[in-house]
């Protein structure tokens, strides 16, 4: 061991955080949580011993901070790859990459996330706006302050919930454990910490942003799916003899269903072109969904997790 | 860890690491499968420390990520409960899928152990 052993739990955790610098922030948060659980349990099991003694004992069973950091970096990789479903085979040709998106579960999950984000976006936005203004407005009375504290706590819980959704659907590693509050601080100091923690504020920003983003994601997804599906459906229906081509009812329509009459304004000769365009657009939609999913997960990571590294 | 370690030690370390990747998951499932009641991380680590030898006697911090991943795979489920002597604890409990996996893995383990033993029989000096 090249460095001096820490003598208090916060020191140990600080050392561990330093050793893990540069690792995935979600992994750091989980590692700190686990270490603190172990250390505090060990301390509780041995009431007669001092913190420094307990930490010295723990260094050989649980590991010194540097060792723990190495273990987390390692296990994360091996266990993850052992238990997770295999990644889809990477396709070499440009054509294979373009059409291969259909076999990628991540693309479907991202598409679903885009549709879901309207609902979650409305909920988060309403929650933050209502909770914040209500508790701030009432804070001149006695019930405002507890309400504000309750609201800040709820924002933290929602941040973990959204983290789960993002990880499951978009595949970005998000923390599964909350940050431990700093021990040895009074309840009032801990409440104060909640207000000065940058993560609380960035989480609220994320929740506000989710409404406009959710609207855009939902609209994009629905529009792209509807357009590409009707591009495909119109020619197929004409070829099956169900729909008539070159029909105008109240202007130009891609696909019109009016009572028993199904029709399209497209002339016969463009149908094959439209059909191919529809297929291409459907695949492009999956690519767009996957791309948006990736961008969104980066943003979520930044606003919901990143700052916890310095907390 | 420095460059002073001799080659054999490095090979042994690498082998132990590869060996432990799957066996630790099996051991954790087995501990929780036979416990009959939910246990928290520290308890599990201590149980394994009492019983475990070889690759299972490694650093206990390695167990937590495995627990978390077993949970993510649906083989364990967990809940948090406040404790009077320390921080809130996360308790783990084996699921039905976990019992099934434990059964399958134990079978695979025994088959592997027997055949490895049989192969090693020939190398005995």
């Amino acid at each position: 061991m090249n460095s001096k052993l820490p003598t208090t739990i916060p020191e140990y955790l600080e050392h561990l955080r330093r050793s893990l610098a540069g690792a995935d922030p979600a992994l750091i948060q989980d590692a700190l949580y686990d270490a603190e659980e172990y250390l505090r349990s060990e301390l509780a099991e041995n009431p007669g011993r001092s913190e420094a003694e307990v930490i010295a004992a723990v260094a050989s069973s649980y590991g010194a901070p540097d060792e723990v950091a190495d273990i987390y970096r390692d296990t994360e990789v091996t266990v993850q790859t052992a238990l997770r479903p295999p990644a889809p085979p990477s396709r070499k040709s440009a054509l294979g990459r373009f059409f291969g998106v259909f076999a990628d579960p991540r693309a479907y999950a991202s598409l679903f996330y885009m549709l879901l984000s309207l609902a979650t976006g409305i909920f988060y936005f309403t929650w933050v706006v209502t909770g914040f203004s209500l508790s701030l407005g009432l804070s001149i009375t006695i019930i405002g302050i507890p309400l504000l504290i309750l609201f800040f706590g709820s924002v933290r819980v929602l941040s973990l919930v959204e983290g789960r959704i993002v990880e499951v659907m978009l595949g970005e590693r998000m923390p599964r454990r909350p940050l431990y509050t700093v021990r040895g601080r009074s309840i009032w100091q801990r409440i104060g910490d909640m207000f000065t923690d940058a993560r609380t504020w960035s989480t609220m920003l994320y929740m506000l942003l989710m409404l406009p983003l959710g609207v855009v994601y939902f609209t994009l997804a629905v529009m792209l799916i509807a357009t590409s599906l009707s591009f495909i459906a119109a020619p197929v229906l004409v070829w099956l003899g169900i729909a008539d081509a070159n029909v105008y009812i109240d202007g130009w329509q891609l696909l019109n269903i009016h009572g028993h009459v199904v029709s399209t304004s497209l002339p016969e000769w463009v149908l094959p072109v439209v059909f191919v365009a529809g297929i291409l657009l459907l695949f492009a939609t999956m690519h767009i969904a996957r791309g948006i999913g990736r961008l969104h997960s980066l943003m979520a990571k930044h606003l919901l997790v990143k700052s916890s590294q310095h907390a | 860890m420095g460059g002073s370690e001799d080659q054999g030690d490095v090979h042994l370390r690498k082998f132990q690491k590869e060996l432990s990747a799957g066996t630790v998951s099996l051991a954790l499932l087995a501990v929780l499968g036979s416990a009959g009641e939910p246990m928290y991380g520290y308890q599990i680590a201590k149980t394994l420390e009492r019983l475990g030898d070889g690759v299972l006697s490694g650093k206990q911090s390695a167990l937590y990520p495995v627990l978390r991943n077993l949970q993510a795979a649906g083989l364990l489920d967990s809940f948090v409960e406040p404790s009077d002597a320390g921080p809130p604890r996360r308790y783990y409990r084996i699921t039905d899928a976990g019992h099934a996996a434990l059964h399958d893995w134990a079978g695979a383990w025994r088959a592997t152990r027997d055949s490895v033993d049989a192969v090693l029989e020939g190398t005995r000096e």
Side-chain angles (χ1 to χ4, degrees), chain A residues 34-211:
Chain A
D34 296 339
E36 180 149 10
E37 192 223 57
Y38 192 95
L39 291 171
R40 301 239 170 244
S41 301
E42 181 85 29
L43 195 64
E45 292 290 312
N46 302 291
R49 293 159 78 186
S50 74
E51 223 166 289
E53 283 172 328
V54 167
I55 287 176
V58 157
S60 60
S61 62
Y62 190 77
D66 292 332
E67 292 174 294
V68 175
D70 285 340
I71 286 169
Y72 269 79
R73 277 191 239 265
D74 276 7
T75 2
E76 184 81 358
V77 179
T78 41
V79 181
Q80 207 87 308
T81 44
L83 286 178
R84 291 291 153 88
S90 62
R91 288 157 219 267
K92 306 250 158 19
S93 65
L95 218 61
R97 273 215 299 275
F98 183 74
F99 290 108
V101 72
F102 235 61
D104 185 359
R106 186 111 297 142
Y108 294 97
S110 294
L111 201 59
F112 188 70
Y113 183 85
M114 287 172 76
L115 295 175
L116 183 75
S117 62
L118 181 64
T120 52
I122 290 173
F123 174 76
Y124 294 151
F125 185 88
T126 317
W127 188 266
V128 168
V129 170
T130 316
F132 199 69
S133 51
L134 190 70
S135 42
L136 213 63
L138 284 175
S139 61
I140 48 166
T141 69
I142 195 82
I143 55 165
I145 299 294
L147 209 61
L148 193 64
I149 294 164
L150 216 62
F151 165 67
F152 270 63
S154 76
V155 166
R156 295 191 157 204
V157 173
L158 284 179
S159 150
L160 281 179
V161 172
E162 173 69 8
R164 301 283 68 228
I165 299 179
V166 167
E167 179 164 340
V168 168
M169 298 205 180
L170 306 180
E172 181 71 38
R173 171 81 153 83
M174 299 290 273
R176 290 150 215 192
R177 304 281 179 270
L179 285 173
Y180 258 125
T181 44
V182 183
R183 292 272 147 176
R185 286 171 77 82
S186 73
I187 178 94
W188 294 112
Q189 283 170 317
R190 281 192 358 218
I191 289 167
D193 289 343
M194 239 167 23
F195 291 90
T196 50
D197 185 358
R199 200 175 58 114
T200 312
W201 298 102
S202 65
T203 301
M204 280 199 253
L205 176 67
Y206 176 87
M207 289 179 167
L208 292 178
L209 277 176
M210 273 302 279
L211 181 64

Side-chain angles (χ1 to χ4, degrees), chain A residues 4-12 15 50-56:
Chain A
K4 194 167 66 71
L5 213 58
T7 51
T8 66
I9 290 178
E11 261 179 55
Y12 182 98
H15 193 145
S50 74
E51 223 166 289
E53 283 172 328
V54 167
I55 287 176

Side-chain angles (χ1 to χ4, degrees), chain B residues 97-111:
Chain B
H99 274 299
L102 176 57
H103 182 259
D104 294 346
W105 294 9
W109 163 256
R110 290 191 184 107

